[in-house]
Amino acid sequence: MVVAAGRREAALSLDDSVTAIRGVGPVRSCQLARSGIETVGDLLAHLPSSYQDRRAEVSLAAARGMVDLQVTVAATVNSMRQLWTRRRRLSVLEGVLGGSGDDGLRAIWFQRPHLLRRLEIGTRYRFHGVIRQGRRGVQLVNPEVTDDDLAEARPTAVYGRLGDIPGSFFRRAIGECIDRLGEGAADGRTADPIPASMLRDRSLPVLTEALRSIHRPDPEADLAPFLEQRSPAHQRLIYGELLALQLALGAHRRLHDATPKPHRYVVDEAEHRRIEDSLPFALTAAQRRALQEIFADLERPASMLRLLQGDVGCGKTVVAACAMLAASRNGLQAAFMAPTELLAEQHAASLRSLFGSKHPVELLTGSSPDAGVRERLERGTARLVVGTHALFQAATSFDRLALVVVDEQHRFGVAQRRALWEKGSRPDVLLMTATPIPRSLALVLYGDFDLSMIDELPPGRLPVATEVVPERDRERVLEVLAAELASGGQAFVVFPRIGNAEVSCVVPGAGNLGAALTVAGMGAHYATRLLPVASGVITGRTERTERQRLIGQFLSGEIRLLIATTVIEVGIDLPAATVMVVESAERFGLSQLHQLRGRVGRGRGRGRCYLIHGELAEDARLRLAALEDNHDGFAIAEADLLQRGPGDLLGSRQAGAADLRHAHLVRDLGWVQAAREDARRCLERERDPAYRLLFDEVKRRSTRFEVDANEPGLARSSSAS
């Protein structure tokens, strides 16, 4: 038992409900539950937002010169009085510390009337607060007060507000939890689920020791590692969080592999060679390596879970096409799902060009809900299909769906991918992305997937020359563009959209005041300025037949300037285009700009990309500079991750990583790799009693990384770990 506030309190374990904490009743527990805090362990996982260092006490004279800084002073209360504001009748306490008149330091408190009863004149206390310059001179504003003879000079944790719950609640409640965890470790109820040998190997403290250290640092502690989350205590939480995720992903993959798929492929070396020989060009070494990995997966008893990633224009679609051809030649069906109709139409045209009439390719989109296509898929006479969300709608059925290819997979939700997967019986899954995912993020998001990487561009492909251009220099870009079009070249001009709103750009006008134009107005400005060159406009609202007509005219050269929104960001393959102009480039993300840049220079000529921008914030300036200086998609993705954090790059998969409380996928790359290695070893020793607590913890507490057995390789995110 623990003695607290004059009475004996039961020791707490991390699994106890927050209602075991004094002052946490039904209302407060509901507020905490809305933020995912239901147990003592959840509460202790709410880490300090910062620390106050109250060890460096200063004199009253020194404090007067420290305006806008946090100070700690020890002083006697000379006088106290309560005032009321005239308008809102708010309570203001005014005290003089350490002297009288000009010799003392004025302190004020707002809405703290209880301090009038607590603070005794002539008694010495320790005060911690911010020095402000007021109308009546410097003053100590809303200082916290502790008894000078009892106050321990140590760093103090500061907690931020969470919803309706103030930081002061967390300081009190967490302090009580730390006090009452004292005997929990002795009776085994707060034993660390990670075996002691693993923690020793990683030089990490046990969990309760780590939590105590974070919330109540030692008096001699150096605060820098705590503020930067580099302390051994923080590292223990980061490692534990990543280990739980990697164990859940590894356990799911093992469960997935234990159930065989009902279909079988024959993709031996001879078949592999026949498929490659059917292509009108030779694969690169990187494409061939990725294809060998995919074919090996197809021949295995368990269905494939593989992510194929590579830079823009590296030839991922051709590799996926070969896998689909293998399915068709084995009498099986393959579905290729794309996020937009434009991209689906492009892929269907590319596959038809590759396969010819011997392996027909169907197209199924929302604008072409062909009942004949659905009938042929259901009967099995159609083996290859490219489509959008129409593929997983209830009206679509398959006879023997054995391979699912998802392009730009991050644009689809978990339920959408699952709906297509469930159209078959444990089909093989190939996810593709032209947005390179940094390895650190891939190890977390796709820990249950095998990774294939195409890190080589086709022969002769040159990096796109990129230039960042301010709006005032747009005329120079227009001159370059006009010259390119006059010589027979083709170009894109791309504008941003936010939701359904058209984003305005600025065109310099008379008096240098400029004129703000919408996307439609800017499109007309470009078309007029570049006459007599024929142009066309494509947006997300362009009807399918009109879109196909314009793309056909662009391919034939009848149209040489295509004005568009980001609907052309991915997949569109128009090899003759050599110039890309992006308006309001500061409104785009790094990876998105890299995708747009990849739409040009795909033929014989070297591509050029001009990023026209308005006023730049610092983050936008860094983003554009990174793109101008770099052509490696993976390096750009790393920079994007560093600038924006993982949340914006996760897409809809989430896999628990979007809600990681402690780990950061750039800062903690080393721990990601360590957790992955250790999880693999743990899974090999699942029956070892020393690991029982760890696996029980993953199953029982780590619902945040709950694995959905109904979907291949997808882990859900829910509550805290």
Side-chain angles (χ1 to χ4, degrees):
M1 306 293 285
V2 178
V3 177
R7 59 176 178 170
R8 296 170 69 82
E9 297 284 354
L12 292 174
S13 80
L14 298 178
D15 295 327
D16 285 336
S17 169
V18 290
T19 56
I21 303 168
R22 284 177 294 137
V24 178
V27 174
R28 182 66 84 198
S29 63
C30 286
Q31 291 175 328
L32 290 167
R34 284 197 291 269
S35 297
I37 299 175
E38 298 180 352
T39 68
V40 169
D42 296 335
L43 181 63
L44 292 177
H46 181 70
L47 303 189
S49 57
S50 64
Y51 294 88
Q52 293 176 347
D53 194 348
R54 304 184 180 186
R55 295 170 295 186
E57 184 180 305
V58 300
S59 67
L60 293 180
R64 292 189 190 96
M66 301 174 68
V67 176
D68 294 332
L69 297 177
Q70 296 266 359
V71 300
T72 299
V73 297
T76 301
V77 177
N78 181 273
S79 65
M80 289 287 293
R81 63 171 179 163
Q82 185 174 19
L83 307 172
W84 298 90
T85 61
R86 291 182 179 179
R87 293 185 179 179
R88 300 179 60 189
R89 298 294 293 170
L90 299 178
S91 168
V92 179
L93 291 185
E94 181 182 79
V96 177
L97 311 180
S100 60
D102 295 337
D103 295 331
L105 175 64
R106 184 168 172 262
I108 62 170
W109 292 268
F110 299 98
Q111 295 294 87
R112 306 276 179 87
H114 64 281
L115 290 177
L116 193 62
R117 297 186 300 273
R118 176 186 167 188
L119 299 182
E120 298 180 1
I121 305 301
T123 302
R124 186 179 176 86
Y125 300 93
R126 179 169 290 159
F127 302 87
H128 184 86
V130 180
I131 296 290
R132 300 292 189 197
Q133 180 69 51
R135 287 180 297 178
R136 297 171 57 190
V138 295
Q139 56 195 24
L140 187 59
V141 179
N142 276 335
E144 297 181 24
V145 186
T146 54
D147 293 334
D148 188 46
D149 58 342
L150 298 177
E152 184 179 7
R154 67 187 306 154
T156 302
V158 177
Y159 301 91
R161 187 179 189 87
L162 188 62
D164 296 328
I165 309 172
S168 57
F169 164 81
F170 289 106
R171 184 175 57 186
R172 182 197 64 76
I174 288 174
E176 179 185 337
C177 291
I178 293 297
D179 289 338
R180 293 173 62 187
L181 277 176
E183 295 182 12
D187 63 18
R189 296 194 306 140
T190 56
D192 198 316
I194 300 179
S197 60
M198 293 179 63
L199 294 175
R200 282 195 301 271
D201 289 344
R202 297 296 180 186
S203 301
L204 295 172
V206 298
L207 181 57
T208 50
E209 180 185 330
L211 291 171
R212 285 193 186 93
S213 178
I214 289 172
H215 293 290
R216 194 173 288 167
D218 289 337
E220 299 80 18
D222 178 6
L223 276 186
F226 284 81
L227 293 169
E228 298 168 7
Q229 297 195 354
R230 292 187 292 105
S231 74
H234 284 91
Q235 303 295 294
R236 164 60 187 86
L237 300 189
I238 290 166
Y239 171 73
E241 187 171 52
L242 293 169
L243 181 63
L245 174 57
Q246 292 296 334
L247 280 170
L249 293 173
H252 174 267
R253 180 58 190 260
R254 188 170 59 176
L255 177 65
H256 173 86
D257 290 349
T259 307
K261 58 192 177 188
H263 50 274
R264 290 289 182 269
Y265 297 82
V266 175
V267 199
D268 54 20
E269 187 175 342
E271 178 68 0
H272 187 163
R273 190 163 49 251
R274 280 192 291 270
I275 289 175
E276 272 204 57
D277 290 345
S278 69
L279 300 175
F281 45 78
L283 297 179
T284 65
Q287 286 175 310
R288 190 172 294 110
R289 182 178 64 247
L291 190 56
Q292 288 172 342
E293 293 168 347
I294 292 169
F295 282 170
D297 282 352
L298 295 181
E299 286 201 300
R300 292 192 182 103
S303 56
M304 171 175 68
L305 296 179
R306 186 166 290 276
L307 172 68
L308 176 62
Q309 59 175 333
D311 213 340
V312 180
C314 69
K316 294 179 297 297
T317 304
V318 172
V319 172
C322 291
M324 295 176 70
L325 185 57
S328 179
R329 289 171 63 91
N330 279 270
L332 304 169
Q333 290 177 304
F336 189 119
M337 186 165 68
T340 66
E341 290 191 358
L342 177 58
L343 185 51
E345 292 161 4
Q346 285 275 305
H347 282 316
S350 298
L351 295 182
R352 286 166 178 164
S353 175
L354 281 176
F355 298 156
S357 59
K358 192 172 182 180
H359 297 277
V361 177
E362 304 281 5
L363 176 65
L364 186 64
T365 69
S367 296
S368 60
D370 192 331
V373 172
R374 287 195 165 106
E375 182 182 349
R376 290 189 290 275
L377 290 173
E378 187 172 8
R379 291 203 317 264
T381 55
R383 294 180 181 174
L384 303 175
V385 62
V386 177
T388 56
H389 302 70
L391 290 174
F392 57 75
Q393 290 174 350
T396 305
S397 299
F398 292 83
D399 178 46
R400 296 189 70 195
L401 179 60
L403 175 63
V404 169
V405 178
V406 183
D407 193 23
E408 291 301 310
Q409 55 78 33
H410 61 282
R411 295 188 169 205
F412 291 97
V414 167
Q416 294 172 328
R417 288 192 297 263
R418 181 188 303 139
L420 179 57
W421 187 73
E422 289 176 345
K423 295 290 184 179
S425 178
R426 303 193 68 78
D428 296 285
V429 177
L430 178 64
L431 305 182
M432 298 200 307
T433 178
T435 302
I437 302 170
R439 180 168 175 77
S440 57
L441 192 59
L443 287 175
V444 175
L445 282 177
Y446 299 95
D448 47 349
F449 269 69
D450 296 308
L451 303 181
S452 289
M453 186 179 298
I454 301 178
D455 52 5
E456 179 183 3
L457 292 177
R461 181 74 59 83
L462 297 172
V464 177
T466 306
E467 182 181 352
V468 176
V469 181
E471 283 179 338
R472 63 178 179 272
D473 293 339
R474 182 185 287 109
E475 187 62 27
R476 176 171 59 83
V477 175
L478 283 167
E479 290 173 0
V480 172
L481 189 56
E484 181 72 15
L485 296 173
S487 65
Q490 291 180 287
F492 295 104
V493 177
V494 177
F495 299 92
R497 295 183 70 89
I498 299 176
N500 292 323
E502 292 186 331
V503 180
S504 65
C505 305
V506 175
V507 177
N512 293 321
L513 295 177
L517 299 179
T518 63
V519 170
M522 284 297 294
H525 174 75
Y526 268 91
T528 302
R529 175 67 178 75
L530 296 169
L531 285 174
V533 173
S535 62
V537 178
I538 293 180
T539 71
R541 297 180 180 179
T542 304
E543 292 186 358
R544 178 172 175 263
T545 53
E546 174 67 5
R547 184 172 65 238
Q548 289 177 326
R549 183 185 70 81
L550 290 171
I551 290 177
Q553 290 179 330
F554 196 87
L555 282 168
S556 68
E558 184 179 345
I559 287 177
R560 297 210 304 280
L561 176 65
L562 199 58
I563 299 167
T565 57
T566 53
V567 68
I568 65 147
E569 177 187 340
V570 294
I572 190 167
D573 189 13
L574 303 173
T578 54
V579 178
M580 167 69 67
V581 178
V582 181
E583 284 280 1
S584 297
E586 73 276 11
R587 298 179 184 267
F588 294 84
L590 255 179
S591 294
Q592 192 176 32
L593 288 171
H594 183 58
Q595 289 278 358
L596 288 168
R597 178 170 66 178
R599 298 306 105 204
V600 298
R602 301 167 74 93
R604 294 183 179 180
R606 183 176 188 181
R608 285 177 287 174
C609 178
Y610 297 94
L611 305 175
I612 299 178
H613 64 83
E615 185 176 347
L616 289 181
E618 179 63 14
D619 61 336
R621 186 189 65 77
L622 292 173
R623 193 161 61 244
L624 296 183
L627 195 76
E628 188 174 35
D629 298 337
N630 207 325
H631 295 87
D632 182 341
F634 289 94
I636 288 169
E638 289 281 2
D640 209 6
L641 179 61
L642 185 62
Q643 285 189 23
R644 295 195 292 161
D648 290 334
L649 299 181
L650 296 180
S652 49
R653 182 169 215 265
Q654 305 272 324
D659 300 317
L660 288 171
R661 286 187 174 183
H662 312 305
H664 188 284
L665 297 176
V666 174
R667 181 194 65 205
D668 302 320
L669 174 58
W671 286 114
V672 173
Q673 295 168 332
R676 184 173 173 84
E677 294 167 6
D678 291 351
R680 188 180 299 114
R681 285 195 291 268
C682 289
L683 288 168
E684 295 170 355
R685 306 173 188 174
E686 186 175 5
R687 298 187 183 278
D688 187 333
Y691 293 84
R692 180 180 58 80
L693 271 180
L694 177 58
F695 283 99
D696 286 348
E697 186 77 358
V698 171
K699 294 174 185 176
R700 180 170 57 90
R701 286 181 55 84
S702 296
T703 54
R704 177 185 192 170
F705 309 124
E706 178 184 356
V707 173
D708 185 349
N710 294 320
E711 184 176 5
L714 295 182
R716 287 200 303 255
S717 166
S718 54
S719 63
S721 67

